[in-house]
Amino acid sequence: PQGAGACAGRSRSPSGPAGTRAVPAVLAAAMASAELGEMLSSEDPELKVAALLRCADAGLFDPPDLLCDCLSDRDALVRGTAAKAFTAAGTKAVPYMGKVSQLLTSSDVGAKCAAAEVLGAFAADAAPHASAVAALLDDPAEDKMAVALMAGCNVTTGDAARPKAAWRFPRAAAAEALPKLGADGRAFAAAVAKLLHDSVPEVRCVAVASLGAMGMEGAAHEEAVLSLLTTERDPRVIASVATSLAEMGKARGCSNQPAMDAILRLLLSQHPGVRAAAAGALGSLGDAGSVHIAKLLRCLTDRSPQVKIAAISSIVALGPPGQVYAVDLCRLAVDEWQLPAVRASALDALPLLGERGAALAYEVAELLEDPEEEVRFAAMRVLEIFSKGYGDV
């Protein structure tokens, strides 16, 4: 056709071979954009999700208007994937933050949640919209359709796992996003603290985590977070309290004794998720946590694999005080009675324990013949790291 000939003629311009290559690339990009546009305009949510995933994988942000429209799609999976595509686009999506913020006042609950998630992901670039995000903290709505569409069950049964709170409750989406918006978002810590008494446990959980991520502004509400432990019965919220108290201690540069005592008590909880969170909290507290390293060692014998793995990570995180216990982690790695995931975690920790970990290379090498594939692969990874960092191992 005439258009193709014209393009071909331009390809033989003095730019030479470089010009010849550039034209097909431009055409391919235009064709790809047109195809994506057709898919994003489709009424089929599966086609939209496929197009959005392609955008996310390639960091594409074209056509932008259709990508923005997907944030208010009636399908929850489309909205969530659109948020992922926005994040992957990086700076190309920044000029559209104003348009995204307009969705915060949408009549559609899911669109509000998606907009808050996107704005949170863009941190400083979205900080001017912090007050608009914070306005959602008073929004009582829930997107029950998200549960029905994503879980594939009747919303009244509660039989299937639900989407995360920030995808269903605008107030949870706002609480999750505000700490990411820097000082502008942290200024609303007091408003977030009001959600500590929300009727929905998942929202309380998000509020606790949000305050822990708000630095000194969030730490000002430590007493309110601590007081939850006297009445709270949901293990997810209690686990979040352990993590949040540790974050508040780090923000202040030291952990208050009441907060530390609470974390230590949570190590004795009957819920493994709470014990794991408490073990993880100790590892994040540096010197203050290393004082209680003996309690982390006891966690290595906990009946829950989740707690053991959390304790392994914390022992590593404590630095030199934790390196002393490389042999204890190696003992866990070679114990055939442990779950493969626990043994692999212990193995992966050894290269992070300096020379004390490297000194156990022989024990690690013996696991190359272990009957568990996950353990064998972990041993291979560790030995490769040892060979690069310690030539005589």
Side-chain angles (χ1 to χ4, degrees), residues 208-296:
V208 170
S210 176
L211 291 172
M214 282 185 159
M216 289 298 294
E217 292 89 340
H221 301 278
E222 181 183 80
E223 187 174 342
V225 172
L226 266 173
S227 68
L228 279 180
L229 296 178
T230 62
T231 57
E232 185 60 61
R233 295 294 176 265
D234 192 290
R236 295 168 298 180
V237 181
I238 298 172
S240 186
V241 167
T243 304
S244 184
L245 290 175
E247 292 298 317
M248 290 175 176
K250 288 196 295 183
R252 283 194 307 268
C254 64
S255 180
N256 287 342
Q257 194 57 47
M260 179 62 78
D261 291 342
I263 293 171
L264 295 177
R265 285 196 301 271
L266 293 179
L267 285 172
L268 305 176
S269 170
Q270 63 177 321
H271 297 285
V274 174
R275 297 198 302 276
L282 285 180
S284 70
L285 285 171
D287 291 341
S290 65
V291 175
H292 304 285
I293 198 167
K295 297 183 184 297
L296 288 175

Side-chain angles (χ1 to χ4, degrees), residues 35-36 38-40 42 44-58 60 67 70 75 77-78 81-82 84-85:
E35 182 184 2
L36 287 173
E38 291 180 5
M39 295 172 71
L40 292 173
S42 169
D44 185 348
E46 292 187 5
L47 276 179
K48 288 184 179 179
V49 169
L52 290 166
L53 286 174
R54 188 186 302 180
C55 290
D57 291 342
L60 299 175
L67 284 165
C70 286
D75 188 283
L77 188 56
V78 172
T81 313
K84 179 180 179 182

Side-chain angles (χ1 to χ4, degrees), residues 283-284 286 312-319:
S284 70
I312 291 169
S313 296
S314 286
I315 289 171
V316 171
L318 291 176

